[in-house]
Amino acid sequence: MFDRLKRDIAAVMERDPAATSAWAAYLMYPGLKAIRWQRRTHRLYMSGHTFLARAISQWVRHRTGIEIHPGATIGEGLFIDHGMGVVIGETTIIGDTVTIYQGVTLGGTGKERGKRHPTIEDCVVIGVGATVLGDITIGRGSKVGGGAVVVNNVPPNCTVVGVPGRVVVREGSRVDVVDLHHEDLPDPVVEMLRCIQHRIDRVEVRLARDEQAAAGAAAPAVPAAPMTPTPPEEN
Ligand SMILES: CC(C)(COP(=O)(O)OP(=O)(O)OC[C@H]1O[C@@H](n2cnc3c(N)ncnc32)[C@H](O)[C@@H]1OP(=O)(O)O)[C@@H](O)C(=O)NCCC(=O)NCCS
């Protein structure tokens, strides 16, 4: 039991530069309290005392601002920083050494039954206010940016940001996001008009040449008509 407590405190000390001492971590971190209570309620839940487990978890939510369903499976070294507004659903599975910031929801989409909450693999970081929905997997070592809404699987060692969440870094390399500059796109109508104009020009040249040839055969040559009408001269 004390080994586990030591590991929980170590997780706080390692990942929060603001943690000044083990005592401060033990006494003042709501995330640590919520995780320790969840382990107890999880045991109750698994032994069939679901009502009592839920009742205690609601009391813990009241005390810490963190709601972790007793049914959730949580690995070692989870660190919930600040904690307020964190919601972790019943069928969520969290691996080892995961970091979660305030306002994170690991929830269901409302359309599924059974396993309907995310699986978070080892060493994942989920930024402030991020929402991860459905029976999806956030791969080992990946980071979910603050404010992201993720509804699809994320491969290992990726960074996913935005709404909806898109992968911007994979295995340490930037993933190029196609960014269309609409003002630079070719206009198909203008292209077509240009093509038609070109063909008209060619036909006019040919016609002028034929007319010249015909006139030369019948009478003395006259100058060819201009290909494009010239505007009348102004006085
Ligand atoms: C996502 C995060 C983990 C950084 O991961 P990273 O792999 O180092 O990614 P980078 O910083 O290289 O950013 C990659 C791109 O995503 C963008 N980005 C980063 N975080 C973002 C976010 N939360 N939302 C939208 N875009 C974001 C960056 O601007 C960058 O885009 P660019 O290349 O066009 O400039 C970090 O930005 C983050 O959100 N951390 C959460 C921390 C937190 O919640 N702290 C709360 C403390 S109280």
Side-chain angles (χ1 to χ4, degrees), residues 107-113 116-118 132-136 150-151:
T109 57
K111 296 184 284 189
E112 298 149 317
R113 302 241 148 234
R116 60 195 184 282
H117 299 107
V132 183
L133 297 180
D135 181 19
I136 60 171
V150 185
V151 289

Side-chain angles (χ1 to χ4, degrees), residues 81-82 101-102 125-128 143-147 159-162 168-169 174:
D81 201 5
H82 307 292
Y101 289 95
Q102 69 271 22
V125 175
I126 307 181
V128 52
K143 299 176 200 166
V144 177
T159 299
V160 60
V161 301
V168 288
V169 175
R174 189 84 173 79

